[in-house]
């Protein structure tokens, strides 16, 4: 059996300014910028937002594509209404009305969850525009001024 001598414990370094730690100073005696400041909680590896994986933009992009499709369906409904085909135009308008509300809510969720935030903002705007009441009001405003 090998006997080892006990290793003495380190002396705690107090707030004395005259004691300079060689690990935090460079050759000239000036303090290094990359030296730890003594706060072990913040000096070690911890949770850093930049180290988290980027979030998927898929939800925002999907809501944007759906909002564009709803706008096209609403345009088709207006075209059918102009051709005096009222039944299918009313059905398409009702479908786009309900779907634009759903797509707008899901787009707001995408914005709040940062899952394609700017795609979600564009989808919210397009889903409001795809609402048949809003679209008919806007068309009425532009037709009356022309």
């Amino acid at each position: 059996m090998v006997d080892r001598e006990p290793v003495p414990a380190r002396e705690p370094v107090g707030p004395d300014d005259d004691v300079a730690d060689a690990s935090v100073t460079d050759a000239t005696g000036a303090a290094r910028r990359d030296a730890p400041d003594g706060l072990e909680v913040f000096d070690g590896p911890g949770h850093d937002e930049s180290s988290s994986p980027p979030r998927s933009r898929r939800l925002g992009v999907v809501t944007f594509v759906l909002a564009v499709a709803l706008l096209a369906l609403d345009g088709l409904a207006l075209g059918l209404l102009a051709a005096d085909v009222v039944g299918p135009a009313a059905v398409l308008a009702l479908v786009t009305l309900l779907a634009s509300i759903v797509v707008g809510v899901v787009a707001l969720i995408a914005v709040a969850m940062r899952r394609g935030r700017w795609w979600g903002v564009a989808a919210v705007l397009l889903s409001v525009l795809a609402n048949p009441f809003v679209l008919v009001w806007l068309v009425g405003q532009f037709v009356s001024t022309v």
Side-chain angles (χ1 to χ4, degrees):
M1 187 159 113
V2 178
D3 281 334
R4 289 191 235 172
E5 285 191 34
V7 178
R10 288 188 336 171
E11 292 292 324
V13 178
D16 297 334
D17 291 331
D18 59 344
V19 177
D21 189 7
S23 66
V24 294
T25 59
D26 59 6
T28 62
R32 292 186 326 204
R33 289 190 174 267
D34 60 343
D37 57 0
L39 299 175
E40 293 177 12
V41 176
F42 300 112
D43 291 340
H47 177 70
D48 189 14
E49 289 183 16
S50 64
S51 67
S52 64
R55 295 184 177 210
S56 173
R57 300 181 308 184
R58 188 172 296 160
L59 184 61
V61 172
V62 167
T63 55
F64 178 77
V65 169
L66 288 174
V68 169
L70 287 175
L71 198 58
L73 279 177
D74 211 9
L76 180 64
L78 280 175
L80 289 175
L81 188 61
D84 289 333
V85 185
V86 177
V91 170
L92 277 177
L94 182 63
V95 167
T96 56
L97 172 70
L98 296 176
S100 69
I101 293 170
V102 172
V103 168
V105 169
V106 174
L108 284 174
I109 291 171
V111 169
M113 292 177 58
R114 296 184 181 179
R115 305 280 184 181
R117 173 169 278 182
W118 296 111
W119 289 102
V121 168
V124 167
L125 294 175
L126 286 179
S127 68
V128 168
L129 185 62
N131 189 324
F133 293 118
V134 174
L135 192 61
V136 167
W137 179 78
L138 283 174
V139 168
Q141 292 295 319
F142 285 123
V143 169
S144 66
T145 58
V146 173

